[in-house]
Amino acid sequence: MAYETILYEAVDGIARITLNRPEAGHAVNLALAHELLEASINASEDPDVRAVILDASGTVFGFGGDLKYFESQSDRIGACLKETTAYFHAAVSRLHRLNSPVVVAVQGMAAGAGFSLSLIGDIVLAAKSAQFKMAYTAAGLSPDGSSSYFLPRVIGMRRAQELMLTNRTLSAEEAQDWGIVTRVVEDDDLAEEVTKLAAKFAVGPTRAYGGVKRLLASSFQQSVEAQMEDETRTIAELAQTEDGREGLDAFLNKRKPDFKGR
């Protein structure tokens, strides 16, 4: 389908979701939130999609929420924000729950909701030009887009408090040092490196990736016994899948596995 605020394509097992409001710094309004949800559902329902790239056109990743749009809705701003975040948060949830690994590519500024979106990646590559800033309290607002969930888990409570309360800007290198970013690359190499990584995931054991993601997602909320029980169930289920059998046979026979994502 045709989108107005994003671009979407699925080729060779890779779904690419590109934020595409460069004139507005990819600021999140109702339309972008809705289309992001539709794209995330498309990726989750397409059996051929085994990796997802989330990136943005132009020179920035995202300036956050579209404050001009929200201000224009002043008579119903509360309802507008609830509707927008309903779509936006559902999109984040869909991407987080995918079996397919999500690779996020960040260039330029990632502020507010843009910062939040960068946190949902399983792998986050940042160009050297990238900067990260929470920015919400500068506008008298509080975080959304899952950042109050993911940021403390990624960097710890004290650092999350500092970023959210002071709006400190992190460079790409600082973000990598803090654990927000997986790897920093040259700006000109970002697209190539992200595509290369996604292509590797697209021929990998997709259901095993999903098992890893689910186990990590629950690891801060369970007892060690409950977590180990989930580990037992997951590895036993995966061993019985087509890819599980293929992986075991390939390992034992010292050959490259041919995973099908099943």
Side-chain angles (χ1 to χ4, degrees), residues 130-173:
Q131 294 181 299
F132 298 81
K133 186 173 187 176
M134 275 279 99
Y136 289 95
T137 58
L141 302 173
S142 57
D144 64 358
S146 77
S147 56
S148 64
Y149 178 89
F150 283 115
L151 196 59
R153 285 165 169 78
V154 170
I155 66 174
M157 183 60 74
R158 285 290 177 252
R159 284 179 163 176
Q161 288 168 321
E162 179 184 5
L163 292 185
M164 290 182 174
L165 294 173
T166 71
N167 298 308
R168 173 180 170 179
T169 300
L170 294 181
S171 68
E173 288 80 4

Side-chain angles (χ1 to χ4, degrees), residues 10-261:
V11 180
D12 296 331
I14 302 171
R16 185 183 294 268
I17 302 171
T18 302
L19 307 180
N20 194 40
R21 294 189 72 210
E23 76 289 348
H26 312 300
V28 178
N29 59 9
L30 180 61
L32 189 149
H34 193 184
E35 291 187 350
L36 187 63
L37 173 58
E38 289 186 356
S40 67
I41 291 174
N42 286 343
S44 70
E45 289 295 307
D46 187 342
D48 294 327
V49 169
R50 296 167 64 188
V52 174
I53 294 172
L54 177 62
D55 61 9
S57 61
T59 59
V60 302
F61 184 71
F63 285 156
D66 190 338
L67 299 186
K68 289 184 179 179
Y69 167 71
F70 295 133
E71 199 279 333
S72 74
Q73 304 292 310
S74 58
D75 292 341
R76 56 179 302 276
I77 191 168
C80 179
L81 280 163
K82 287 178 180 178
E83 185 177 10
T84 302
T85 54
Y87 288 129
F88 189 54
H89 290 173
V92 168
S93 180
R94 290 280 68 75
L95 292 171
H96 177 57
R97 300 294 181 186
L98 285 174
N99 284 329
S100 305
V102 176
V103 183
V104 177
V106 181
Q107 79 282 354
M109 178 59 74
F115 193 162
S116 297
L117 275 181
S118 72
L119 291 167
I120 71 173
D122 298 299
I123 302 290
V124 182
L125 298 189
K128 284 189 174 181
S129 67
Q131 294 181 299
F132 298 81
K133 186 173 187 176
M134 275 279 99
Y136 289 95
T137 58
L141 302 173
S142 57
D144 64 358
S146 77
S147 56
S148 64
Y149 178 89
F150 283 115
L151 196 59
R153 285 165 169 78
V154 170
I155 66 174
M157 183 60 74
R158 285 290 177 252
R159 284 179 163 176
Q161 288 168 321
E162 179 184 5
L163 292 185
M164 290 182 174
L165 294 173
T166 71
N167 298 308
R168 173 180 170 179
T169 300
L170 294 181
S171 68
E173 288 80 4
E174 288 173 315
Q176 181 180 24
D177 182 59
W178 283 30
I180 294 167
V181 166
T182 309
R183 182 156 49 95
V184 176
V185 301
E186 297 291 340
D187 283 51
D188 291 343
D189 296 334
L190 181 62
E192 179 183 353
E193 290 297 318
V194 166
T195 301
K196 185 189 306 181
L197 185 56
K200 182 178 180 180
F201 285 137
V203 295
T206 309
R207 292 185 61 178
Y209 294 148
V212 170
K213 292 175 65 168
R214 285 188 293 276
L215 287 169
L216 292 176
S218 65
S219 65
F220 284 89
Q221 299 155 353
Q222 300 201 104
S223 67
V224 64
E225 291 80 11
Q227 187 71 11
M228 288 191 295
E229 177 61 21
D230 282 351
E231 289 178 344
T232 296
R233 293 182 181 184
T234 302
I235 194 171
E237 290 171 1
L238 289 171
Q240 299 175 72
T241 64
E242 182 177 327
D243 278 355
R245 292 190 178 96
E246 168 64 12
L248 287 170
D249 185 76
F251 183 84
L252 292 172
N253 289 286
K254 296 181 174 58
R255 62 176 177 84
K256 184 178 179 180
D258 181 18
F259 294 122
K260 302 297 185 183

